[in-house]
Amino acid sequence: MRPASDLTWTDVTPEHLFLNRRSFIAGAAALVAGSAGAAGFSTDEAPNSFDEITNYNNFYEFGFGKTDPARFAKGLTTDPWSVEIDGLVDRPGSYSVADLAPDNAVEERIYRLRCVEAWSMVIPWLGVPLASVLEKVGVQPGAKFVEFETLLRPEEMPAQRRRSMQWPYREGLRLDEAMHPLTILATGLYGQALPNQNGAPIRLVVPWKYGFKSIKSIVRITLTDTQPVSTWQAMQPGEYGFYANVNPRVDHPRWSQATERRIGAGLLGGRQDTLMFNGYGEQVASLYAGMDLARDY
Ligand SMILES: Nc1nc2c(c(=O)[nH]1)N[C@H]1C(S)=C(S)[C@@H](COP(=O)(O)O)O[C@H]1N2
Ligand SMILES: [Mo]
């Protein structure tokens, strides 16, 4: 079974064609028993439209409004781009996006995205497992966590000229979370290069965690032995924990997390129950065995 991304992404994009192709791929995959292909990681829920995915964003470097990223990220220079990989790795250095996510390794992953603000979408990403990148650079035995950092470039990221947040935006994962096959570095969506507002040219996607963990426009990845402090944790420790696993039973101090508004689902049918680990529990619950998820959120 070849990954869906091998089919023909060169001729891609119109959304209706994509959707047709999806149902074809889903049908084909269903015929292959025990397939380890991309279909095993993707949801068959209907993806949000390209328009929704690229016009309703959180990317605070460009402002706090949902349409600010679409308006203001156009001016972000994403080529050339390099990602510094350092810390407890055998081959530290400066890597290009093509080094980390070569075209022939890119696969499609259709994932739910659940924002901590209680809205959600389904997004057809293109990307590579983060594990493949970490294997490439060689993780040293002492490494326990991975820290990520977004670009700091106030000339192109207007909100960085204000002290509205602690810049650059930082996030972190435990090493086993980072190595999990669901965790990807995304370089595209809907079969094309990642739009700037979605975190071009390369961003993290961790589908069982609240969206803020999925840090955009990454310029540094550091392997470390100490638990990183994420931007949100540093600013509001009582509201945002390090783990940030989607959990309908642990409410945000200011709102319920029991349900979510699926963007684009319409005014009447738009709310749905939020699932533990955003519906990825079967794959990830074992990572947290023995932890009290109400305390270590
Ligand atoms: N650097 C950076 N990464 C970020 C954010 C941000 O403000 N800055 N917002 C996060 C939040 S809160 C969410 S919900 C997702 C949104 O991703 P999307 O706009 O591609 O849907 O990006 C996350 N990654
Ligand atoms: Mo979010």
Side-chain angles (χ1 to χ4, degrees):
M1 181 63 192
R2 300 151 75 201
S5 52
D6 279 358
L7 287 176
T8 33
W9 281 117
T10 42
D11 65 346
V12 178
T13 303
E15 201 184 317
H16 61 283
L17 281 183
F18 174 90
L19 291 172
N20 286 340
R21 187 176 291 120
R22 266 312 301 165
S23 35
F24 165 72
I25 293 166
L31 296 175
V32 184
S35 163
F41 295 113
S42 290
T43 174
D44 55 11
E45 284 168 80
N48 279 88
S49 70
F50 184 81
D51 239 45
E52 289 161 348
I53 294 168
T54 59
N55 287 288
Y56 190 92
N57 300 101
N58 278 337
F59 199 166
Y60 292 132
E61 286 84 340
F62 297 99
F64 290 126
K66 291 288 181 278
T67 55
D68 287 344
R71 287 167 63 200
F72 301 120
K74 289 187 179 70
L76 178 67
T77 308
T78 59
D79 184 15
W81 192 273
S82 58
V83 180
E84 207 62 34
I85 305 189
D86 58 14
L88 299 171
V89 294
D90 294 333
R91 288 170 288 281
S94 190
Y95 292 85
S96 72
V97 174
D99 291 334
L100 303 182
D103 281 345
N104 64 2
V106 167
E107 42 183 298
E108 176 203 61
R109 298 289 182 93
I110 305 177
Y111 284 163
R112 292 177 289 276
L113 174 92
R114 169 59 157 83
C115 177
V116 74
E117 299 161 339
W119 54 265
S120 65
M121 293 202 201
V122 175
I123 303 181
W125 303 107
L126 295 178
V128 296
L130 175 58
S132 71
V133 167
L134 297 179
E135 277 154 15
K136 206 171 290 184
V137 297
V139 175
Q140 295 183 346
K144 296 196 183 76
F145 297 92
V146 189
E147 186 170 351
F148 304 86
E149 202 175 285
T150 293
L151 178 71
L152 179 66
R153 192 184 287 158
E155 314 87 84
E156 291 186 350
M157 296 176 135
Q160 287 185 340
R161 291 176 222 143
R162 306 186 285 271
R163 253 180 269 270
S164 45
M165 284 188 51
Q166 294 179 1
W167 312 113
Y169 193 104
R170 287 201 179 85
E171 260 307 337
L173 295 173
R174 221 168 55 187
L175 185 61
D176 58 344
E177 299 176 318
M179 295 297 289
H180 192 280
L182 281 172
T183 304
I184 61 168
L185 286 175
T187 53
L189 63 81
Y190 264 121
Q192 55 189 273
L194 206 55
N196 287 356
Q197 58 266 45
N198 295 94
I202 187 161
R203 60 92 56 90
L204 184 69
V205 180
V206 193
W208 70 94
K209 293 175 178 285
Y210 290 118
F212 66 84
K213 297 294 289 183
S214 292
I215 181 173
K216 296 177 170 181
S217 304
I218 295 169
V219 294
R220 183 182 297 275
I221 300 177
T222 306
L223 278 289
T224 150
D225 59 0
T226 40
Q227 185 170 305
V229 178
S230 69
T231 296
W232 287 104
Q233 237 187 318
M235 291 194 312
Q236 320 253 36
E239 302 191 12
Y240 305 102
F242 174 78
Y243 284 96
N245 292 313
V246 175
N247 188 339
R249 290 186 296 275
V250 176
D251 288 337
H252 186 276
R254 291 182 281 127
W255 58 84
S256 164
Q257 296 290 25
T259 65
E260 64 199 55
R261 179 171 58 95
R262 178 60 57 84
I263 300 299
L267 291 173
L268 295 176
R271 269 207 112 74
Q272 58 189 66
D273 287 345
T274 288
L275 303 174
M276 187 64 203
F277 296 116
N278 202 23
Y280 298 97
E282 213 175 293
Q283 292 101 308
V284 303
S286 62
L287 296 177
Y288 309 103
M291 268 177 67
D292 178 355
L293 295 174
R295 205 199 53 198
D296 291 320
Y297 59 86

